């Protein structure tokens, strides 16, 4: 393993990842793996897989939680705070700006051509990470079976994400009774301070929400804090699972229309960072509509920030309070086997997300077919997007044949997307 980085070096990387973290959790996890494990060796493969397994079991944005865990493991609480915040801040700033443009100018379609090239780059990067992670996290017959079963369950059945992950953990726990590999070089952080960290994080999370209720209990700001704080505790299954609930609540409270929710999701996909940054758009628009016209702008910004805080702050609580305990589980055969199986299943989860992403990128329309507990997304072959197909092929060539660095790849693909719009009409 490489020499541990300084906090400044680590912060520079967390900010870079925050700026380049496009493509949802699959793309962000792939980027973290590439930068932290493969390029720099700051964390070994087993510890990364162990951390990813832990984060997949938590509610909330798993990629941000993984970044927080990595920062915490390298530099303690201050490192975790830096990693978690810098992972989110670039996308948060972009989302606030796009939300402001939206309430003034309506839909923002100007980013579509550049976004097309960017999404093609994400497909190539995720595919590269999948091939590497599959050979490590899903090694051995049992790991391969866990990954394949997770992929099939999420892609072709109605099984919810939490059930698939819990089933993998249970299978590993039962298999661990036979005796499995136990990490021999565990340097688990001390448990002392975990309780204090939990109390501080809990107070910091709920403090702004409580203040909003004290000042204006019926305001949109207070409602935003309550809704997203509650969602943060139960939001298993990623952004798309949480969006259904947020869309329903938004309609009931008069925050947004269904069409505006779709617009917000489109804007969120143009920004780096977790897809749940769409909640910033929801909070921004809800507070804008609720506020007195003279205070609309500051209240809208506060609404967006409140949604972000209630969504991401709980992640620090889960990591700082639970991390020391979970690290110690690596020395127990059953727990280590359970987390190993979850890590293998995560490969299948990322593969399913990548397939979903690629299908929706390459085909303009499709249908959802269902047969009892089974389902499948069937793309309309006639709706194939030729420009998207060409861009994905170009991105894969640049990634696998030329091995272009990620920054250069992103820049080239964004320019290629814009060029397709100019010369091919989209």
């Amino acid at each position: 393993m490489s020499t541990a980085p300084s906090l400044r070096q680590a912060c520079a990387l967390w900010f870079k990842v925050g700026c380049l973290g496009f493509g949802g959790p699959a793309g962000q996890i792939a980027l973290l793996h590439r930068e932290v494990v493969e390029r720099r060796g700051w964390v070994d493969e087993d510890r990364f897989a162990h951390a990813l397994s832990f984060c997949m079991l938590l509610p909330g944005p798993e990629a941000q939680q993984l970044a927080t865990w990595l920062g915490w493991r390298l530099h303690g609480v201050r490192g975790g705070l830096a990693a978690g915040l810098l992972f989110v801040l670039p996308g948060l700033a972009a989302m606030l700006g796009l939300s402001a443009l939206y309430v003034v100018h309506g839909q923002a379609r100007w980013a579509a051509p550049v976004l097309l090239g960017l999404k093609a780059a994400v497909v190539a990067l995720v595919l590269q990470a999948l091939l590497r992670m599959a050979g490590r996290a899903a090694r051995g017959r049992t790991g391969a079976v866990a990954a394949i079963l997770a992929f099939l369950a999420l892609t072709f059945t109605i099984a919810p994400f939490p059930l698939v992950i819990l089933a993998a953990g249970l299978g590993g726990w039962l298999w661990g009774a036979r005796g499995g590999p136990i990490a021999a070089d565990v340097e688990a952080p001390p448990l002392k301070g975990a309780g204090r960290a939990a109390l501080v994080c809990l107070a910091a999370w709920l403090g702004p929400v409580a203040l909003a209720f004290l000042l204006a209990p019926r305001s949109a700001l207070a409602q935003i804090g309550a809704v997203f704080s509650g969602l943060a505790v139960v939001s298993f299954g990623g952004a798309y699972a949480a969006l259904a609930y947020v869309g329903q609540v938004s309609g009931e409270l008069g925050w947004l229309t269904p069409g505006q929710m779709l617009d917000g999701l489109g804007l969120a996909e143009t920004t780096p960072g977790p897809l749940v940054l769409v909640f910033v758009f929801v909070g921004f628009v809800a507070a804008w509509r609720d506020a007195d016209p003279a205070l609309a702008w500051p209240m809208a910004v506060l609404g967006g920030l409140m949604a972000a805080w209630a969504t991401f702050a709980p992640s620090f609580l889960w990591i700082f309070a639970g991390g020391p305990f979970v690290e110690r589980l690596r020395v127990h055969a059953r727990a280590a086997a359970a987390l190993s199986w979850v890590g293998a299943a995560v490969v299948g989860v990322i593969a399913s997300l990548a397939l979903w992403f690629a299908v929706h990128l390459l085909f303009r329309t499709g249908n959802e077919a269902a047969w009892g507990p089974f389902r499948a997304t069937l793309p309309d072959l006639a709706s194939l997007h030729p420009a998207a197909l060409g861009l994905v092929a170009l991105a894969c060539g640049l990634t696998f044949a030329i091995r272009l660095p990620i920054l250069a790849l992103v820049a080239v693909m964004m320019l290629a997307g814009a060029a397709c719009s100019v010369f091919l009409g989209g």
Side-chain angles (χ1 to χ4, degrees):
M1 179 180 292
S2 301
T3 304
S6 67
L7 181 60
R8 176 176 293 184
Q9 290 174 319
C11 286
L13 177 63
W14 307 138
F15 183 72
K16 173 185 175 182
V17 170
C19 292
L20 297 176
F22 294 91
Q28 292 147 15
I29 292 168
L31 180 59
L32 284 168
H33 183 270
R34 173 174 175 150
E35 296 292 334
V36 177
V37 179
E38 296 175 14
R39 294 192 60 190
R40 293 168 175 81
W42 290 351
V43 172
D44 61 48
E45 188 70 50
D46 288 340
R47 182 160 273 131
F48 184 92
H50 172 87
L52 182 55
S53 302
F54 170 46
C55 293
M56 282 289 182
L57 294 172
L58 299 174
E62 59 269 27
Q64 188 241 359
Q65 291 163 350
L66 178 60
T68 302
W69 187 95
L70 291 169
W72 167 76
R73 199 65 185 83
L74 290 171
H75 296 104
V77 171
R78 62 174 184 167
L81 286 171
L85 292 173
L86 290 172
F87 185 83
V88 171
L89 284 178
L92 173 59
M95 199 64 197
L96 287 172
L98 291 173
S99 299
L101 288 174
Y102 182 88
V103 299
V104 175
H105 299 293
Q107 298 184 11
R109 300 185 181 276
W110 45 267
V114 172
L115 177 62
L116 185 63
L118 194 58
K119 287 181 176 180
V122 168
V123 170
L125 290 172
V126 171
L127 179 59
Q128 181 188 53
L130 268 176
L131 294 175
R132 292 174 175 172
M133 292 178 68
R136 294 162 180 163
R139 58 180 177 266
R141 181 177 299 176
T142 56
V145 169
I148 292 170
L149 289 178
F151 171 78
L152 294 175
L154 288 173
T155 307
F156 300 111
T157 78
I158 60 173
F161 168 86
L163 180 61
V164 172
I165 294 298
L166 288 175
L170 177 61
W173 179 271
L174 296 175
W175 183 264
R178 302 160 57 95
I182 301 176
D185 60 342
V186 172
E187 297 178 4
L191 298 180
K192 182 180 179 181
R196 181 176 59 186
L199 290 175
V200 171
C201 290
L202 184 63
W205 165 23
L206 297 179
V209 181
L211 181 61
F213 268 98
L214 288 174
L215 295 178
R218 296 186 178 181
S219 67
L221 195 62
Q223 292 176 335
I224 291 166
V227 167
F228 289 111
S229 290
L231 185 62
V233 180
V234 298
S235 58
F236 297 93
Y240 290 104
L243 279 173
Y245 171 75
V246 173
Q248 179 183 1
V249 171
S250 296
E252 293 173 354
L253 297 177
W255 287 355
L256 287 83
T257 65
Q260 288 175 322
M261 277 295 300
L262 290 176
D263 291 339
L265 182 59
L267 291 177
E269 289 181 334
T270 70
T271 63
L275 192 58
V276 290
L277 282 170
V278 66
F279 298 160
V280 175
F281 173 83
V282 174
F284 190 101
V285 175
W288 169 276
R289 297 180 65 173
D290 179 70
D292 182 277
L295 298 174
W297 282 111
M299 291 306 298
V301 172
L302 286 175
L305 292 175
M306 176 67 82
W309 183 254
T311 298
F312 295 109
S315 296
F316 297 104
L317 171 61
W318 314 144
I319 298 300
F320 296 156
F325 294 94
V326 175
E327 276 287 270
R328 290 170 180 268
L329 292 178
R330 297 178 71 210
V331 302
H332 299 286
R334 281 180 177 266
L339 288 172
S340 176
W341 278 43
V342 170
V346 165
V347 175
V349 172
I350 296 175
S352 180
L353 287 171
L355 177 63
W356 184 94
F357 186 80
V359 167
H360 285 76
L361 175 64
L362 294 175
F363 298 92
R364 292 186 174 94
T365 60
N367 298 302
E368 186 84 8
W371 308 273
F374 300 98
R375 65 166 187 187
T377 300
L378 304 176
D380 180 3
L381 299 181
S383 70
L384 178 67
H385 195 324
L389 181 61
L391 288 169
V392 169
L394 174 61
C396 289
L398 294 175
T399 300
F400 293 99
I402 300 180
R403 300 177 184 266
L404 203 63
I406 185 170
L407 286 174
L409 175 67
V410 168
V412 169
M413 294 310 302
M414 290 170 69
L415 289 173
C420 282
S421 177
V422 172
F423 295 108
L424 302 178

